[in-house]
Amino acid sequence: MNQSPGEAGQCCGMWLGLRVQPVWCLYRKSGIINRPSSFQAERSEKMFTGKNIFVLTSAILIFLHVSVWIQDNHAFSVREIRIAGASLVTDEEVLTAAKIDISSPIMEANVETIRKRLLRGLPQVMDVRVSRIFPSTIRIELIERDPIAIILDNGIWGVDSDGVLLPRFSARHGLDYPVITNIRLQKYVPGEKVDDTGLTSLVRFLGELRTLNPALYSRISEVTIDDMIGVRLIMLDYNVPVLMGHERLLKKCKDLEIAWDFLLNSRKAASIKYLDLRYRDQ
């Protein structure tokens, strides 16, 4: 009778009174058969980790060498400053506020520090973006405040729709804005928000009017406000006063535009002393 080696071993063990298992079973249970594959996996993992450490270390060293080379290389010094978005301020004012050291290494130019200097030194600027353009250029992009009116009080001052006071205006800024004439600014400095209820109402109204009806906005020469009359407009054509009151100002502006076009087309505007739109159903 033919027997396999395993069966023969078992029979021999039984004859001797011993419990014998085949050798291949012992190797399997002890894990010796699986050892070569697990050993290779562990070795591969160690090699992979070693490669990662080598690559990371090499990258850090390269970065450090490049940084030192850039700082020592004059080709990476600041040689040009590009300014965009400047209309209320001059390039000279921007450069003075930025305090950028020309010919210094471009890596030493801290863009956030420059940005804070510009916002602190230029009240006309609402926001600014500063960036480095390698090898040797700093770019400054200004977002200026948008004047909505001019205030006459011991000089010509700008004000935006948020009520923030802007520095003195001159002819180079363009003076094609409505003029506010009854606001006092003694205690305010450029860059501050004017804490005046009347001015806040006026600039908000003018901002909305310029957005909704820029044609009528451009026809307004002067604006005032007081407790009794409310808002009073002076039209650019013929200096005709328009009494607006305190409420429904934008709705009244639609009526004003229709009436004013009629008066101009009929050539009667010059004979009008004033228009009173303070009351309903006029």
Side-chain angles (χ1 to χ4, degrees):
M1 182 177 180
N2 294 329
Q3 291 182 326
S4 66
E7 292 174 344
Q10 288 180 345
C11 292
C12 181
M14 292 174 63
W15 182 72
L16 294 174
L18 299 174
R19 186 176 180 181
V20 179
Q21 292 185 349
V23 174
W24 62 271
C25 292
L26 295 175
Y27 272 86
R28 175 174 292 178
K29 289 184 178 180
S30 64
I32 295 176
I33 292 178
N34 296 328
R35 183 176 179 182
S37 59
S38 61
F39 176 75
Q40 290 177 356
E42 183 179 353
R43 183 180 179 185
S44 299
E45 183 178 353
K46 289 182 178 179
M47 291 178 63
F48 182 73
T49 304
K51 288 181 180 179
N52 283 350
I53 295 174
F54 174 77
V55 171
L56 180 60
T57 304
S58 300
I60 293 174
L61 291 175
I62 292 172
F63 174 78
L64 292 175
H65 280 295
V66 170
S67 299
V68 172
W69 179 74
I70 288 176
Q71 290 181 354
D72 293 339
N73 195 325
H74 294 292
F76 287 88
S77 298
V78 178
R79 297 180 180 276
E80 181 183 5
I81 300 175
R82 298 178 187 173
I83 301 172
S87 60
L88 298 179
V89 296
T90 64
D91 289 354
E92 290 75 14
E93 290 172 331
V94 174
L95 294 175
T96 300
K99 298 179 181 178
I100 299 174
D101 185 10
I102 298 295
S103 77
S104 64
I106 193 171
M107 293 295 293
E108 294 182 2
N110 189 313
V111 294
E112 185 59 26
T113 299
I114 296 171
R115 177 179 179 274
K116 290 179 179 179
R117 289 173 186 163
L118 291 168
L119 291 176
R120 185 169 55 248
L122 300 175
Q124 305 94 323
V125 175
M126 182 170 58
D127 199 3
V128 59
R129 289 190 286 266
V130 182
S131 57
R132 291 179 295 212
I133 304 176
F134 289 96
S136 58
T137 301
I138 300 293
R139 175 178 171 81
I140 298 174
E141 185 177 356
L142 304 175
I143 302 175
E144 294 182 328
R145 295 189 177 277
D146 189 10
I148 195 67
I150 290 173
I151 299 176
L152 293 183
D153 182 36
N154 193 27
I156 303 174
W157 308 85
V159 63
D160 71 358
S161 58
D162 293 325
V164 175
L165 185 65
L166 305 178
R168 289 178 183 268
F169 268 40
S170 62
R172 71 178 178 83
H173 296 121
L175 302 177
D176 191 18
Y177 301 98
V179 178
I180 300 174
T181 55
N182 63 338
I183 300 294
R184 297 293 172 258
L185 301 172
Q186 291 92 338
K187 62 179 181 179
Y188 299 105
V189 297
E192 289 184 346
K193 186 172 183 177
V194 180
D195 186 17
D196 183 279
T197 304
L199 179 65
T200 301
S201 299
L202 281 182
V203 295
R204 184 186 301 119
F205 160 64
L206 291 173
E208 293 174 348
L209 180 62
R210 184 171 65 177
T211 300
L212 298 175
N213 195 336
L216 182 60
Y217 167 84
S218 65
R219 289 179 171 182
I220 298 173
S221 172
E222 183 180 336
V223 189
T224 61
I225 187 170
D226 60 44
D227 294 336
M228 183 176 296
I229 297 176
V231 175
R232 185 185 71 158
L233 310 179
I234 304 294
M235 302 304 291
L236 189 62
D237 298 309
Y238 304 107
N239 292 324
V240 175
V242 181
L243 311 182
M244 301 288 289
H246 295 279
E247 301 176 346
R248 302 183 302 113
L249 297 179
L250 294 177
K251 171 63 172 62
K252 292 175 182 178
C253 283
K254 293 181 180 179
D255 300 334
L256 172 60
E257 184 178 29
I258 295 172
W260 193 246
D261 285 340
F262 170 78
L263 292 172
L264 289 177
N265 293 332
S266 61
R267 299 183 180 181
K268 296 180 179 180
S271 62
I272 300 297
K273 291 184 177 180
Y274 67 91
L275 295 175
D276 193 341
L277 302 180
R278 289 177 292 174
Y279 309 106
R280 293 178 180 270
D281 302 324
Q282 286 184 293

